[in-house]
Amino acid sequence: QVQLVESGGGLVQPGGSLRLSCTASGSIFSIYDMAWYRQAPGKQRDLVAAISIGGGTNYADSVKGRFTISRDNAKNTVYLQMNSLKPEDTAVYYCRATRGTFGAWGQGTQVTVSS
C-alpha cells in the first residue's frame, strides 16, 4: 500500500509563498487520486485541493486563485503551490491518496502564516 511523506511547510509572512510536496512510495502513484487537506487547531480537517488521476483539479473556495495543485507521476509526487498566503491559512497540511474505498494519509506538515 502507498505511504505518503509531506515536506515544505514552515513559517512565512502574510503575502508570501510556500510549496508543499508529498512523495509516495510502496505503490504505483499514478493510480491514485490525490488531495491536500488542512486542519487548524480546534477545527475539522477540510479539503483544500484535489487532483484526479486524469489531472482534473478542484479547490476550496477560500484558496481559489491563490493555490495550485499539481502532480508529477514520474517523481511520485504531488505539489501544492501556495501564494498570497494569509494568517487564516495557518494549519497542518495533510496529503491524501485515494483509490476506490482505499485511502491513505501522510503525517502532515505545519504551515504558519504570521508576521
Side-chain angles (χ1 to χ4, degrees):
Q1 294 186 349
V2 66
Q3 292 86 45
L4 304 171
V5 177
E6 300 98 333
S7 61
L11 173 64
V12 63
Q13 292 186 344
S17 298
L18 282 176
R19 188 176 80 156
L20 305 184
S21 300
C22 171
T23 301
S25 62
S27 186
I28 302 172
F29 176 74
S30 61
I31 67 173
Y32 294 96
D33 295 318
M34 300 298 298
W36 287 96
Y37 287 73
R38 67 186 180 187
Q39 187 168 21
K43 295 189 177 182
Q44 66 182 20
R45 190 174 297 187
D46 291 326
L47 177 68
V48 175
I51 186 166
S52 70
I53 58 175
T57 59
N58 66 281
Y59 297 90
D61 287 343
S62 60
V63 307
K64 283 181 181 176
R66 300 188 298 123
F67 291 11
T68 302
I69 189 171
S70 61
R71 65 190 299 162
D72 186 338
N73 290 338
K75 295 183 178 180
N76 292 347
T77 300
V78 61
Y79 302 99
L80 185 68
Q81 178 67 45
M82 306 186 294
N83 300 327
S84 302
L85 282 160
K86 304 175 181 180
E88 51 263 43
D89 295 317
T90 295
V92 178
Y93 283 71
Y94 296 90
C95 176
R96 180 162 175 81
T98 56
R99 178 176 171 82
T101 58
F102 171 80
W105 292 97
Q107 84 288 351
T109 185
Q110 176 70 46
V111 172
T112 302
V113 185
S114 175
S115 55

